[in-house]
Amino acid sequence: METKIELQGIYKKTIIRDLRDGFTSFLLETKNTHERKHYHCTGNILSFEEGEKITVQGTWETNQIFGLQIKDVVVRRPPMDSSALLQFLLTSGLDIGVMTAKNVVEHFGEQLTQHDLDEGLEDKMVLLRGLTRKQCQSLLHKLRNRYTQQELYEYIVKHGGIYKDYLSMYKKYGYEALEMFKRSPYEIGRKSGLRFVICDSVAKENGGRSQSVQRLEYGVRRALQAAAAEGHTYLNRQQLLRETQRLLRNAVFPEPVSLPAINLGIELATQSGVVREENRYYIQSIRNAEKRVAENIGRMSFPVVPYEKYCDDLVGQVMEKTGIHFAEGQQEAFSLLRTPGVKVLLGGPGTGKTTTVRGLVEAFLTMKTDAEILLCAPTGRAAQRLSEATGREAFTIHRLLEFTKGNITEKKLASKALRADLYVIDETSMINIELADFLLEEIEAGATIIFVGDNEQLPAIGAGNFLHDLTCSKGIPTVELTEVFRQKSTSVILKNARAICMGISKLSKGDDFELISAEDDKMLTRVQEEFLKYYDRNNPYSVQVLACTKSIVSQLNTLIQKLVNGNAKGVRYGGTVFRVGDKVIMNSNNYRMRYFNGDMGIITDIVSEEYIKVKINQVEILLTIDEFEDMELGYCITVHKSQGSEYPVVFLVLPSKPKKMLKRKILFTGITRGKQNVKLFATKATIAMAVANNEEDNRQSTLMRRLEIQRKKLERTAEKGAA
């Protein structure tokens, strides 16, 4: 059980401050009433000036670097007194002399230390000798900011929120955030992305009832949003009733909410952003995306019109041109070029999908020498691999569609429709219904669009089961590659991958696959022991550790860095020490600097606290401090991050908790990233649980149904036209 601690003291020194999430590492100086005078503290907190009086609440933790420290701290300012006000005046950049500051404290101290600052104070203060109106305005502005931010932060923390919740609300609503939140907790919470239970807590404190119409409506919305996060585009009425009822019953309002009340919430929600179709309920934006995807595929694919220049000897021409011998299954893929429209090319690891894509590109150019061809993928790393395989430039989907960095909802309104003849979209399993909508909406009819992917890979983050729905839809030509080229037929990696797909949890051992049985408490130690056997300082890319949660990734990165590179020159940023020689992974696309989400690199030099040199794809680039946030340690990465990549040796770490991350597709994706060798750290019981969990295949979607409706509709129209 964690031991709680509360201390009063002085904010002595900031060690690390991450502006993204408020994570701060700092020293607290206390009076000599405790065993020590200085305590190291960490937590997501507001910004404090060195020398401020503060109260710290948190829990004890033993840190490998700092020893005994206080973690997850909540920091509060005591009410401002005269001495604190004087210090504030002298350290806040107001350019006020000591005598003037003392005068301000003497004449206005009582009023300025009150959180509700009198609107007439400015006119009174400007009469004080030594103060300009601009200084008065600046002082009052800084104090209002201080009081407002502190009140909002403490209020949100009190109701179970964190610094990110505070930051989201303050950025959106400023001074008015707190009063607006108290007045309309569900509306403000929805717009700020707050957890439902936080809104409930605020509502109850301010007289809210468990069955208020605002709560009921918001509960319905949140239930649908939660379903979308799990991959469902809709919930039927019974599911929506059940999930809303479960959500509404929590620690704040533990009493059950009646079904008639929830039915009322559903009806209210359908009047403002929730769409009902028969017995299904959708978030409006997701339903609209699904509908448009079906319509766009319909207009591109139906009716079927063959290409005039397609010939049966096309495969032979391409083999002669490229020198590549295509296997029988790969040759079948060339039939996808018979007609324009949407097509699917499926294939598991090592089945030669990228080689086949190269052949298809060459075949299309044989049919049309001046063809415009666009290649793209959901991530920068996947796009890069596609480019390397084909010898042609490939883009991320976001770049292709001119999205702003990091937010697909901010698509430029002036973006032009895409006008290529052939599109190849790789790693389609990673595309959710909304991204598919953005892409297909921009493609003109008459083109050939080939979606490439593997249904056994992890599904997209977000709503929909796009690749699966295309594959299972009538009228969408699909070719699946089954022959394996990447690994020998005797590969145990491949054998186990097939077993996992079939729901078999008993895995085989072999030269290229080893199961290292380790309980959770011994697992990280075993990973470190094995890592030292395989790690090559001259080739840090030779072994890659994969894990299923960010928490384990963070722990392993810290431990492995200390193990193999703990003494090198480094610089701290955002809670991480980056050292010369560290392997790093980029988590964002930067087209100016030419690095992409998923790119791996090696830190070659720490120029200063604001500049780091990183070698990515044999090119050394200079990152400024503004770009440090795009970089993480890469000794260990998530399985999701590894999609679209391959590594010589893979360590897959699969602890028994959290159970929600024990999924068949995580296990499959993880082990199939290894080209030569895989080490699986797990117990047999954990593997069995993962293999048994195949929930992603049960994603609810109506895309197939909509595609069938579109196909029949357009075929009827064509028949009428022919008649």
Side-chain angles (χ1 to χ4, degrees), residues 20-75:
R20 295 170 294 176
D21 60 5
F23 177 83
T24 306
S25 169
F26 66 96
L27 287 181
L28 174 73
E29 182 180 274
T30 65
K31 297 179 180 179
N32 291 319
T33 56
H34 300 277
E35 295 180 4
R36 296 187 300 170
K37 189 176 180 180
H38 293 99
Y39 293 84
H40 181 252
C41 308
T42 61
N44 303 82
I45 63 173
L46 294 173
S47 177
F48 292 87
E49 297 289 335
E50 294 181 0
E52 276 198 68
K53 293 179 181 177
I54 59 173
T55 298
V56 169
Q57 292 178 320
T59 55
W60 289 117
E61 177 190 60
T62 301
N63 183 272
Q64 294 182 350
I65 298 173
F66 295 100
L68 193 63
Q69 68 175 16
I70 308 172
K71 68 170 183 175
D72 300 331
V73 297
V74 174
V75 181

Side-chain angles (χ1 to χ4, degrees), residues 526-545 556-557 559-568 579-584 600-603 633-636 648-651 677 679 681:
R526 293 288 287 118
V527 172
Q528 293 177 80
E529 292 170 353
E530 291 294 320
F531 191 86
L532 282 176
K533 298 177 184 178
Y534 286 85
Y535 182 69
D536 181 359
R537 291 183 182 276
N538 297 318
N539 182 20
Y541 301 113
S542 59
V543 57
Q544 182 61 58
V545 184
L556 279 170
N557 271 323
L559 291 170
I560 293 173
Q561 182 195 50
K562 186 178 180 180
L563 189 69
V564 301
N565 198 37
N567 298 318
R579 301 186 183 279
V580 174
D582 276 340
K583 181 166 69 171
V584 294
M600 306 291 282
I602 303 294
I603 295 177
L633 291 177
Y635 299 104
C636 180
V649 179
V650 162
F651 286 17
N677 205 311
K679 305 285 184 185
F681 297 80

Side-chain angles (χ1 to χ4, degrees), residues 19-281:
L19 298 177
R20 295 170 294 176
D21 60 5
F23 177 83
T24 306
S25 169
F26 66 96
L27 287 181
L28 174 73
E29 182 180 274
T30 65
K31 297 179 180 179
N32 291 319
T33 56
H34 300 277
E35 295 180 4
R36 296 187 300 170
K37 189 176 180 180
H38 293 99
Y39 293 84
H40 181 252
C41 308
T42 61
N44 303 82
I45 63 173
L46 294 173
S47 177
F48 292 87
E49 297 289 335
E50 294 181 0
E52 276 198 68
K53 293 179 181 177
I54 59 173
T55 298
V56 169
Q57 292 178 320
T59 55
W60 289 117
E61 177 190 60
T62 301
N63 183 272
Q64 294 182 350
I65 298 173
F66 295 100
L68 193 63
Q69 68 175 16
I70 308 172
K71 68 170 183 175
D72 300 331
V73 297
V74 174
V75 181
R76 294 184 172 87
R77 292 183 171 103
M80 187 178 281
D81 56 17
S82 297
S83 62
L85 177 60
L86 181 61
Q87 183 184 7
F88 179 83
L89 292 169
L90 296 174
T91 59
S92 298
L94 297 168
D95 197 25
I96 296 175
V98 176
M99 292 306 298
T100 302
K102 288 182 177 179
N103 265 340
V104 172
V105 173
E106 182 181 346
H107 288 84
F108 300 102
E110 187 175 341
Q111 299 172 73
L112 291 175
T113 55
Q114 303 297 314
H115 283 211
D116 296 324
L117 297 175
D118 186 353
E119 292 293 334
L121 265 176
E122 181 185 321
D123 292 332
K124 296 176 183 177
M125 289 176 62
V126 79
L127 299 175
L128 193 67
R129 186 177 179 181
L131 281 180
T132 66
R133 184 170 291 278
K134 187 175 180 180
Q135 286 174 322
C136 294
Q137 290 172 344
S138 180
L139 169 60
L140 292 171
H141 176 72
K142 287 176 179 289
L143 283 173
R144 286 195 180 97
N145 262 342
R146 175 188 171 108
Y147 295 147
T148 301
Q149 291 175 5
Q150 185 69 31
E151 283 183 319
L152 179 62
Y153 170 71
E154 290 186 4
Y155 191 79
I156 286 176
V157 169
K158 170 187 163 184
H159 291 283
I162 59 176
Y163 179 85
K164 280 187 175 181
D165 299 325
Y166 147 78
L167 195 62
S168 174
M169 286 187 59
Y170 189 76
K171 283 183 176 180
K172 194 175 263 307
Y173 300 107
Y175 294 145
E176 299 178 350
L178 183 56
E179 289 307 312
M180 292 176 67
F181 193 30
K182 290 179 180 179
R183 194 165 56 248
S184 306
Y186 298 110
E187 180 183 355
I188 302 302
R190 174 173 62 85
K191 293 179 179 179
S192 303
L194 300 186
R195 288 181 294 122
F196 189 78
V197 69
I198 299 173
C199 303
D200 263 355
S201 181
V202 173
K204 188 173 184 179
E205 183 180 81
N206 291 278
R209 297 176 296 106
S210 66
Q211 301 198 38
S212 69
V213 292
Q214 296 87 356
R215 183 172 189 258
L216 295 171
E217 181 185 354
Y218 187 39
V220 171
R221 289 175 178 271
R222 289 294 297 193
L224 286 171
Q225 289 168 354
E230 293 177 359
H232 307 296
T233 62
Y234 74 91
L235 292 177
N236 64 41
R237 192 174 187 91
Q238 287 303 115
Q239 291 169 331
L240 183 55
L241 284 167
R242 183 180 66 248
E243 293 304 308
T244 304
Q245 191 172 47
R246 183 187 59 80
L247 184 68
L248 293 175
R249 189 173 185 177
N250 54 39
V252 180
F253 291 108
E255 64 273 13
V257 179
S258 68
L259 289 179
I262 298 175
N263 279 315
L264 173 61
I266 292 174
E267 296 310 311
L268 291 169
T270 57
Q271 299 172 21
S272 56
V274 171
V275 178
R276 175 185 178 183
E277 286 186 357
E278 298 176 355
N279 193 41
R280 301 180 301 276
Y281 293 83

Side-chain angles (χ1 to χ4, degrees), residues 386-397:
L386 183 60
S387 180
E388 292 168 352
T390 61
R392 303 179 67 90
E393 185 177 12
F395 305 87
T396 66
I397 297 175

